[in-house]
Amino acid sequence: MAEWRKIERDVCDMLGEGTMWSARENAVYWVDILAPALNRLSLDDGAIERWKMPEPLGWVAEARDETLIGGFQSGFKRIRLDTMAITPLGDPEPHLPGSRMNDGKADRFGAIWCGTMDMAEKEECGALYRFMPDGTWQVMDRDYLVPNGPAFSPCGRWLYHSDTAKRTIYRFEITDAGLSNKQPFIRFDDDDGYPDGMTADAQGFLWVAHWDGGRISRFTPDGHLDRAIGLPARRVTNITFAGEALDRMFVTSAATGLPPSEYDGALFEVLSGAKGVPVGIYPG
């Protein structure tokens, strides 16, 4: 039996990213950063919806009031899809108009961790932010070229975050004060491509998408390669667990910079045999 299947749809993503499982809707959300657009796959009937966005959108997270929080080029915004109302919540980098948000997700307490980057991918001006339920934000780390992740260990002790351009995944210890003990955790070789989006499973293994590597990999809690699943897309970008039992895995990819292909830019469901952990809900 194949380890993956392509989700059939009418459009491919220029830069699929930011996968998010919604338990309340029984649906998977993901973004197409460069289109820009927001996508939704219903697991009830397989229907796919796609909404045009006014500017590059790096990620979405669920909020308790049944809206979404989005990481746009111009900052944090609340999205109400039934009326298509998009309300600004704050811009952490008004002094960097050439930057945008890339990847992000909510932790188990509902705080959203996300990275920013230079859209031209020339300046190491990116940062890792934490967006709090009260609408404030803090810089948690700096000097990223292409930030990706983040992912959280199921025990709540560790945060994983990568600089894709540097082929390095870092591990931080989460403390009451924020983050400490930043260490290189996994380094990709040239043949591996680049580490992109990632998520942890219920056993504490880290699943990582390989940009220009055509696969996803699972790493042990101490950072050793445990398993790899090849995909027909070259630029694999992000991973989420979904479904009532969190035992369905969905993976995004990108078509940008590549010749037309049946698979580049597709959404895949992967038979991983693993289970994820519950998704955080932004309480603000």
Side-chain angles (χ1 to χ4, degrees), residues 214-232:
R215 61 189 184 275
I216 60 174
S217 292
R218 182 172 76 165
F219 295 88
T220 64
D222 57 0
H224 292 96
L225 179 65
D226 174 72
R227 182 182 173 194
I229 300 176
L231 292 169

Side-chain angles (χ1 to χ4, degrees), residues 155-175:
C155 67
R157 180 180 178 183
W158 307 108
L159 179 140
Y160 307 96
H161 197 238
S162 68
D163 193 323
T164 296
K166 298 174 184 176
R167 287 193 163 99
T168 301
I169 299 171
Y170 300 97
R171 188 178 73 171
F172 301 78
E173 188 167 4
I174 302 173
T175 68

Side-chain angles (χ1 to χ4, degrees), residues 155-210:
C155 67
R157 180 180 178 183
W158 307 108
L159 179 140
Y160 307 96
H161 197 238
S162 68
D163 193 323
T164 296
K166 298 174 184 176
R167 287 193 163 99
T168 301
I169 299 171
Y170 300 97
R171 188 178 73 171
F172 301 78
E173 188 167 4
I174 302 173
T175 68
D176 291 340
L179 296 177
S180 67
N181 194 27
K182 178 182 179 180
Q183 298 290 333
F185 184 60
I186 300 166
R187 296 188 188 273
F188 274 28
D189 294 330
D190 290 352
D191 292 342
D192 297 326
Y194 300 83
D196 208 306
M198 53 189 149
T199 191
D201 65 25
Q203 293 180 293
F205 289 76
L206 184 67
W207 292 82
V208 183
H210 291 240

Side-chain angles (χ1 to χ4, degrees), residues 117-137:
M117 61 176 284
D118 174 23
M119 287 190 70
E121 299 182 23
K122 294 181 178 179
E123 302 294 331
E124 292 184 15
C125 59
L128 172 63
Y129 287 90
R130 181 172 61 180
F131 185 55
M132 300 298 289
D134 64 1
T136 61
W137 57 82

